[in-house]
Amino acid sequence: MVDLLKAVVLGLIQGLTEFLPISSSAHLRIYPELFGWGDPGAAFTAVIQIGTELAVLVFFRKDIWRIGSMWVRSLAKPELRGHLDARMGWFIIIGSLPIVVLGILLKDVIERDFRNLWLIATTLVVLGLVLGIADRVSRDNLTIKNISLRDAVLMGLAQALALVPGVSRSGATISMGRFLGYEREAATRYAFLLAIPAVVGAGLFELKEIPNGDNSYGWGPTVTATIVSFVVGYAAIAWLLRYISTRSYTPFVIYRVALGLATMALLAAGVLVS
């Protein structure tokens, strides 16, 4: 019962932070330590992210169906290959390759060295400042219709930085999108779509680790956390897309920097142990 209650809390944290540019993996590493629960493990973190990605699949189901069906049809009909949705299918596939390849090659490092709290606190601060700068200097004149292969590759490379907890998958992709001149809504929407193959793939890849691998919980709490993250994540997507239509990312930048500095202070004081 205690593990189930912990799972509900961790599912809430995952659902609230996955789509905001503040790094869900950092929160799932820092807050359990503050609560005295220890590190839930990389496998637990990867699997419950499937819940939030299912929220993306449901929320963007019409976009995903349109892109996927046009991409499949374009394989057989060359005249459709110039269509935006057909190109978007390729852009998502190509943009996902960096994080997939590096995730497989660096699996042991990610699950061990990258979960160091000093590193996570530093990336929260540094990538938070990067997001703030990108949001401020962006030309803000490109929409999703303007995306090119070059931009898809660059945003895919940015997304790969999120293999380090604290970077934020959406935050890194959005930052690159803003540097390239994309509007906030366009950069955010593409970041959500681009994350689907990587996060679902990582979660499925880590499923085998749940019973006896890098996971402080078992199947029951892990499934519970995944369900909670789905429900909360769906609400978070809807809220964020409404929010960024009229406001900047500044509150998220401030929060990231504050959390990173607070984590460093707690580590220095011995309250947290990396």
Side-chain angles (χ1 to χ4, degrees):
M1 182 60 69
V2 173
D3 280 353
L4 284 175
L5 291 175
K6 290 180 181 178
V8 170
V9 173
L10 295 175
L12 284 169
I13 292 173
Q14 168 63 24
L16 287 171
T17 60
E18 172 66 22
F19 302 111
L20 306 184
I22 55 178
S23 180
S24 61
S25 56
H27 284 72
L28 287 174
R29 181 71 179 90
I30 293 171
Y31 281 95
E33 291 288 353
L34 283 174
F35 299 153
W37 298 348
D39 185 354
F44 176 87
T45 301
V47 172
I48 70 169
Q49 286 177 340
I50 292 178
T52 43
E53 287 314 305
L54 288 176
V56 173
L57 292 174
V58 174
F59 192 92
F60 292 108
R61 60 191 180 279
K62 294 180 181 178
D63 302 69
I64 294 169
W65 174 258
R66 192 184 66 250
I67 292 169
S69 60
M70 180 59 72
W71 179 78
V72 171
R73 289 163 56 201
S74 72
L75 296 177
K77 298 181 179 180
E79 64 273 17
L80 297 178
R81 292 173 187 171
H83 194 283
L84 174 62
D85 288 334
R87 291 187 291 113
M88 186 66 71
W90 283 114
F91 293 159
I92 292 172
I93 292 171
I94 294 171
S96 299
L97 292 178
I99 196 170
V100 171
V101 173
L102 290 175
I104 294 172
L105 293 177
L106 300 176
K107 182 178 184 296
D108 292 338
V109 178
I110 293 167
E111 295 181 351
R112 183 182 63 250
D113 300 336
F114 283 3
R115 299 184 70 78
N116 179 280
L117 284 176
W118 280 107
L119 176 61
I120 292 172
T122 301
T123 54
L124 277 170
V125 174
V126 174
L127 271 298
L129 294 175
V130 169
L131 174 62
I133 294 170
D135 197 35
R136 186 173 294 272
V137 304
S138 178
R139 299 191 310 275
D140 199 36
N141 63 348
L142 299 178
T143 69
I144 202 78
K145 295 180 180 179
N146 300 117
I147 192 167
S148 64
L149 177 59
R150 183 205 66 159
D151 293 350
V153 170
L154 289 174
M155 284 189 271
L157 290 170
Q159 179 183 243
L161 295 174
L163 291 170
V164 181
V167 170
S168 170
R169 184 178 295 101
S170 63
T173 309
I174 289 168
S175 295
M176 180 59 75
R178 294 295 283 160
F179 274 128
L180 293 171
Y182 285 88
E183 297 173 348
R184 291 190 185 97
E185 194 276 340
T188 303
R189 183 175 291 268
Y190 184 73
F192 290 166
L193 294 173
L194 182 62
I196 294 172
V199 176
V200 173
L204 295 175
F205 184 73
E206 293 285 359
L207 279 176
K208 65 182 183 300
E209 302 289 344
I210 296 303
N212 49 21
D214 185 17
N215 178 19
S216 298
Y217 304 94
W219 273 111
T222 302
V223 171
T224 299
T226 303
I227 293 171
V228 172
S229 72
F230 166 77
V231 175
V232 178
Y234 188 91
I237 296 171
W239 177 83
L240 182 60
L241 288 176
R242 286 197 304 271
Y243 176 88
I244 52 99
S245 65
T246 57
R247 296 178 177 87
S248 73
Y249 294 108
T250 300
F252 305 116
V253 174
I254 295 172
Y255 174 77
R256 286 182 62 112
V257 173
L259 178 61
L261 293 177
T263 301
M264 291 180 187
L266 292 172
L267 286 166
V271 176
L272 291 178
V273 179
S274 182

